Amino acid sequence: AQSVSQHNHHVILSEAASLELGCNYSYGGTVNLFWYVQYPGQHLQLLLKYFSGDPLVKGIKGFEAEFIKSKFSFNLRKPSVQWSDTAEYFCAVRHPGRLYFGRGTQLTVWP
Amino acid sequence: NAGVMQNPRHLVRRRGQEARLRCSPMKGHSHVYWYRQLPEEGLKFMVYLQKENIIDESGMPKERFSAEFPKEGPSILRIQQVVRGDSAAYFCASSPPGQGAVKNTEAFFGQGTRLTVV
């Protein structure tokens, strides 16, 4: 069965620091890859997605992610975080139709 | 185009009662997913449905839980004889049909239903 690993469960940063959240998945075939964000008390919103093509994808709010097929990874990055980025971040992989989610990473940004 | 609508937003049930959670997908979406979220445990897949079909229910507990997505109307997640351990947030997501096995579509989430069993 597909599995999605997010290695950082809780990340604490100061504003303007750079962010990288790791995501690895277990399936080697064709997949769809996603990062979702959940702000406190809200539902999940899509940050970015990868279906095919350029492995470096840009999403909303300055986030980007890089798909490295050889490493089965889809890490999320942001050069300079803001206090408003405090939220929980979920990596998700679709194969074939079912969406598998990682455990989530809680990001706390101090002003 | 309204988003994914879930109701109720909050549901309180006594132990032994039934809970019915509803999910209306976005217009044109024929695929629905249900997830359960517990603190510190992330999103646990429960069931994946298309109209009138259960595609994958491998995440559903064997007893007391059932789901349907009829031809007309919302998808329903039903929990019979609720217990305290069922207290959680239940999220529904919908996506369009897409193409091929991997679909190449994104899933949109509803606001969730927070079930509390007292």
Side-chain angles (χ1 to χ4, degrees), chain B residues 26-92:
Chain B
M26 290 178 69
K27 187 176 180 181
H29 287 195
S30 56
H31 294 218
V32 165
Y33 305 81
W34 284 94
Y35 292 86
R36 177 163 61 180
Q37 186 178 37
L38 290 164
E40 306 298 323
E41 291 190 19
L43 281 160
K44 298 293 186 186
F45 168 80
M46 299 183 75
V47 62
Y48 167 34
L49 309 109
Q50 293 179 22
K51 286 276 187 182
E52 300 184 279
N53 283 308
I54 297 175
I55 305 303
D56 182 348
E57 58 181 345
S58 56
M60 290 278 271
K62 294 287 184 265
E63 297 179 350
R64 303 186 299 108
F65 285 73
S66 62
E68 62 177 7
F69 188 16
K71 186 177 180 180
E72 302 291 337
S75 175
I76 306 286
L77 178 67
R78 182 183 178 203
I79 312 173
Q80 295 178 290
Q81 300 173 356
V82 296
V83 300
R84 289 240 171 94
D86 297 332
S87 296
Y90 292 83
F91 287 94
C92 164

Side-chain angles (χ1 to χ4, degrees), chain A residues 23-89:
Chain A
C23 173
N24 288 90
Y25 60 95
S26 61
Y27 186 76
T30 302
V31 293
N32 292 163
L33 298 163
F34 307 87
W35 276 95
Y36 284 86
V37 61
Q38 186 179 28
Y39 297 103
Q42 296 190 24
H43 64 293
L44 275 76
Q45 302 170 44
L46 185 70
L47 267 182
L48 46 77
K49 63 192 177 192
Y50 173 80
F51 293 160
S52 63
D54 188 344
L56 184 62
V57 293
K58 295 193 182 298
I60 61 172
K61 304 186 181 186
F63 286 91
E64 64 179 31
E66 184 175 13
F67 170 50
I68 303 179
K69 189 174 182 178
S70 60
K71 294 185 178 180
F72 303 101
S73 70
F74 189 56
N75 292 353
L76 181 71
R77 299 196 291 249
K78 185 170 183 178
S80 176
V81 294
Q82 301 173 315
W83 175 79
S84 58
D85 293 325
T86 295
E88 191 154 18
Y89 293 81

